[in-house]
Amino acid sequence: FSNCYKLKSVNIPNSIKNIELDTFYDCKSLTSVTIPNSVTSIGYRVFYNCDSLTSITIPDSVKSIGGGAFYGCKSLTSVAIGNGVTFIDYNTFYNCDSLTTITIPNKVTKIDNSAFYDCENLATVTIGNSVTSIGHSVFYNCDKLTSITIPNSVTSIGSHAFYSCEGLTSITIPNSVTSIDNAAFSNCKKLTSITLSNNITSINMNMFSGCNKLSSITIPDRVTSIGNSAFYNCDSLTSITIPNSVTSIDGSAFANCDNLAVVNIGDGVA
């Protein structure tokens, strides 16, 4: 049914188990779809660019949702993800800019790259307690997101994961997290405080660059390196202590921190 521009509603029969690749691709007038409990998988780009679709309920029978399944569904305001889903694939809800709230079920173990990229009105996110990985650019430019709780199951946060989440004011990274990639919180302009996991070993490149409201941060004792431009343009930062564990600080790590008046550098830096 791809490119059926006048198709408005669909009732999928109980005989269907899989909704295959591109089934409703670019059905721009599609406003409602009923997915029966017989369906176990939703393929890649199934509802891609269905920009009149306003809500969707994914039943518990569905185990997998393919990449880009709801890409560009700009009118989508409500999504209920069934409890059977174990993986949020890449670009799944990319540019769903009317989506305001999402709950990630407890069986989901990974939120893949750019899953909620540019969901600019997404304000509330609940992450289930089985998620171990938040991929790169997952919440990129979700600028209505003011707070988020990262569960203790998460071990890694990808690059640009929260890039330009301009409404985010504070965040706590649990000790389960051992790696945070480049620019994960870059350009979070209202971020005033962050509590980092005690088990990370590096502050990577551009991690907090452009966080110009960030006034304080404690660098954990296991950190050994601070990357290039890690705190670039953090012009509310007034003091910082570099622990003894740090052995290298790359160029421009604290460039343009105009109000940084006190820096205590540990014995590890040569």
Side-chain angles (χ1 to χ4, degrees), residues 19 35 40-47 56 58-59 62-70 79-82 84-93 105 108 112:
I19 306 176
I35 300 174
T40 59
S41 70
I42 298 172
Y44 292 97
R45 300 192 306 266
V46 164
F47 298 102
I56 193 87
I58 299 167
V62 172
K63 302 296 189 290
S64 65
I65 304 171
F70 298 96
V79 176
I81 302 174
V85 174
T86 59
F87 177 56
I88 307 294
D89 211 341
Y90 72 95
N91 292 351
T92 298
F93 298 100
V108 171
D112 206 5

Side-chain angles (χ1 to χ4, degrees), residues 12 17 26-27 128 150 152 161 188 211-212 216 225 253:
I12 298 171
K17 291 184 178 181
D26 213 22
C27 291
I150 298 175
N152 290 325
C188 292
C211 295
N212 52 17
S216 66
S225 64

